[in-house]
Amino acid sequence: MTPEFVQQLITDRLAATHVHVNGDGHHFYARIVSPRFEGLGLLARHRLVKDALKDVIDSGELHALSLEKTATPAEWAAQ
Amino acid sequence: MSVQDTIRQTVTSNPVVLYMKGTPQFPMCGFSAGAVQILKNCGVSFAAVNVLEDPEVRQGIKEFANWPTIPQLYVKGEFVGGSDIMKELFASGELQKMLEGIEG
């Protein structure tokens, strides 16, 4: 799995407006901006991402994904 | 007592509990080591459970929080998150606030 592929998956499944993924094929690091995070705490945001990617995580295709940032568009703009 | 009961008792009878791989002195995984470091930086004392010592707890803790990975942090009986969440909460100062008032 490439960082580009992970980035595309996240973009599609979370209607993300901005996604940045780094990784070496085994461990990936993502920063995600999505309106779906609106009104959610940090734990709920992380659960949302992991649920959206559950099939590829469970299958072992996506081995490790660290979430460095999960922001709403408004939070992202305010930075 | 079932493993779920044991976990519930552990997280409610200790104000801060870290389920980790290895011990605070000898973490066996980079993420667990990072989690220990963050708690040390917060200056709080915590109970650590080494999941590598007990396969039932290792599996049971994932079901307890419905969270697939270790480490897992619990404060006052509540699941806070894994190492990414700890890192982000520490960077924003929220974790320190959460741990305020707990005896160091």
Side-chain angles (χ1 to χ4, degrees), chain B residues 8-103:
Chain B
R8 188 167 297 107
Q9 193 179 50
T10 304
V11 301
T12 50
S13 57
N14 297 283
V16 185
V17 185
L18 185 68
Y19 282 83
M20 62 178 293
K21 293 181 179 170
T23 64
Q25 291 73 31
F26 296 102
M28 300 297 284
C29 142
F31 298 107
S32 287
V36 166
Q37 198 50 53
I38 287 172
L39 290 176
K40 283 188 179 163
N41 289 345
C42 289
V44 73
S45 66
F46 57 96
V49 178
N50 179 4
V51 301
L52 299 180
E53 281 185 348
D54 189 337
E56 270 190 58
V57 171
R58 185 179 184 170
Q59 183 54 35
I61 195 65
K62 295 177 183 178
E63 289 156 13
F64 185 77
N66 185 25
W67 189 258
T69 51
I70 291 156
Q72 294 187 9
L73 176 69
Y74 294 80
V75 175
K76 295 174 191 161
E78 294 265 340
F79 174 55
V80 174
S83 73
D84 293 342
I85 289 179
M86 286 177 69
K87 234 182 265 175
E88 202 169 332
L89 289 176
F90 180 69
S92 68
E94 283 170 83
L95 188 63
Q96 294 87 321
K97 234 179 264 172
M98 212 179 275
L99 296 171
E100 248 171 43
I102 292 171
E103 288 296 307

Side-chain angles (χ1 to χ4, degrees), chain A residues 28-76:
Chain A
F28 297 96
Y29 303 84
R31 293 197 293 271
I32 306 169
V33 181
S34 166
R36 296 214 185 137
F37 295 144
E38 214 82 58
L40 299 181
L42 200 47
L43 184 56
R45 292 178 187 198
H46 282 232
R47 282 200 197 277
L48 190 70
V49 177
K50 307 260 166 148
D51 283 348
L53 300 171
K54 193 175 185 325
D55 55 338
V56 284
I57 292 172
D58 285 350
S59 72
E61 288 169 89
L62 182 53
H63 171 65
L65 175 69
S66 291
L67 301 177
E68 295 180 321
K69 191 90 208 160
T70 48
T72 64
E75 289 164 354
W76 187 250

